[in-house]
Amino acid sequence: MARVAVVTGGTRGIGKAISEHLKTKGFEVAANYGGNEEAAKACEQELGVKCYKFDVADYDAVGEGLTAIESDLGPVEIVVNNAGITWDAPFHKMSKEQWDKVIDVDLNSAFNVTRQVWDGMRERGWGRIINISSINGQKGQFGQTNYSAAKAGLIGFTKALAQEGAKKGITVNVVCPGYIDTEMVRAVPEKVLESIIGTIPVGRLGKAEEIASMCGFLASEDAAFITGATMTVNGAQYIAG
Ligand code: CAA
């Protein structure tokens, strides 16, 4: 039977490309979404993946969503913690709401989802957790103290959890995309974005598919010995040591 993969924020942007890629690799994909019904419908029609609406920032809502997925499709064996938002502002203008919201959606969500599939993965002796961080969690970004903190948090979460999953056949890795051609990046003011592209040695934005193929590899049997790793996919914009 096909292994079941949950992709949070899986109906748009990088998440949609991941859902599509995992489906073509033969996984049974459940794409989570927060509220955009149109995108979810398009995803079901175009990709033929089932979409599930729940708020990843709400632990109980995640529990209900995962119960629905498992009763429809079977035990969740792969999780891609991809859901994320930005709410940029320089720190002197950042409100408590801006801080909390980004930490809840981008970091606490990974706890909410992973914690509720973890015991099952341990019992079955197999699992794949793939966390989607960001170049800006590695290097920091002006205007993104909230987002950079959340995304750096995902890297620490990955490194700790990988050690706990290792003996149970569960790998835990983190992917750090650079600037990828998605709605989120296109929302950056044009002049700012132009200057950012100027700092990418490859000379272009990345493609969502270039993140998806990395996730497909990490989900595969071939990647069984890769755990606790930070996979940088950024066109050499930032080369971490
Ligand atoms: N470095 C240094 N100084 C900067 C700066 C930068 N990158 N950006 C702005 N400033 C300066 C301005 O020049 C200005 O200086 P003065 O006060 O001396 O004139 C000061 O900071 C304040 O600027 P603004 O009043 O224009 O600030 P603002 O309230 O309009 O906010 C901003 C500016 C929101 C930070 C805006 O610059 C911005 O959106 N930057 C892009 C942030 C970014 O890269 N976001 C990534 C989104 S995509 C993503 O996150 C996906 C992923 O994982 C990669």
Side-chain angles (χ1 to χ4, degrees):
M1 248 184 43
R3 294 191 188 277
V4 175
V6 173
V7 182
T8 67
T11 65
R12 292 197 290 151
I14 291 175
K16 184 178 183 187
I18 296 170
S19 296
E20 182 169 15
H21 185 82
L22 293 181
K23 167 104 183 164
T24 63
K25 289 272 166 196
F27 296 101
E28 186 74 61
V29 178
N32 151 262
Y33 68 104
N36 189 324
E37 302 293 345
E38 213 175 300
K41 203 177 276 175
C43 198
E44 292 204 325
Q45 284 168 357
E46 283 169 32
L47 312 185
V49 306
K50 281 188 143 227
C51 297
Y52 293 83
K53 182 177 178 175
F54 54 89
D55 178 359
V56 289
D58 178 337
Y59 186 84
D60 294 334
V62 169
E64 284 166 25
L66 290 171
T67 301
I69 291 168
E70 296 208 322
S71 91
D72 290 350
L73 306 176
V76 173
E77 299 194 275
I78 296 135
V79 167
V80 184
N81 285 310
N82 164 76
I85 58 165
T86 55
W87 196 354
D88 297 351
F91 192 62
H92 64 274
K93 292 183 187 166
M94 186 165 291
S95 65
K96 170 115 171 69
E97 190 191 359
Q98 266 173 297
W99 176 267
D100 288 343
K101 182 84 185 162
V102 170
I103 299 292
D104 275 347
V105 176
D106 295 11
L107 178 59
N108 292 338
S109 59
F111 173 82
N112 294 341
V113 178
T114 309
R115 182 65 191 88
Q116 299 189 70
V117 297
W118 190 248
D119 296 357
M121 288 182 178
R122 280 168 53 89
E123 278 158 24
R124 292 185 298 274
W126 199 94
R128 295 281 188 270
I129 306 292
I130 302 164
N131 298 314
I132 307 299
S133 174
S134 165
I135 184 174
N136 293 343
Q138 294 175 294
K139 71 168 185 60
Q141 169 62 38
F142 189 104
Q144 286 199 310
T145 47
N146 51 1
Y147 185 84
S148 297
K151 293 298 187 178
L154 286 175
I155 297 172
F157 173 67
T158 299
K159 290 179 176 179
L161 193 60
Q163 296 176 47
E164 297 189 19
K167 280 212 173 109
K168 298 286 181 185
I170 309 168
T171 68
V172 187
N173 292 292
V174 60
V175 179
C176 292
Y179 281 73
I180 307 299
D181 191 2
T182 60
E183 253 174 73
M184 180 187 276
V185 165
R186 284 191 294 269
V188 172
E190 202 178 320
K191 276 227 166 95
V192 177
L193 187 57
E194 267 171 31
S195 73
I196 289 171
I197 294 173
T199 67
I200 305 174
V202 169
R204 63 168 173 86
L205 294 175
K207 298 178 196 148
E209 296 71 29
E210 290 168 324
I211 305 304
S213 55
M214 171 60 80
C215 295
F217 174 60
L218 291 173
S220 72
E221 296 298 338
D222 288 344
F225 200 58
I226 300 176
T227 191
T230 304
M231 312 303 260
T232 292
V233 186
N234 68 19
Q237 187 183 358
Y238 178 72
I239 300 175

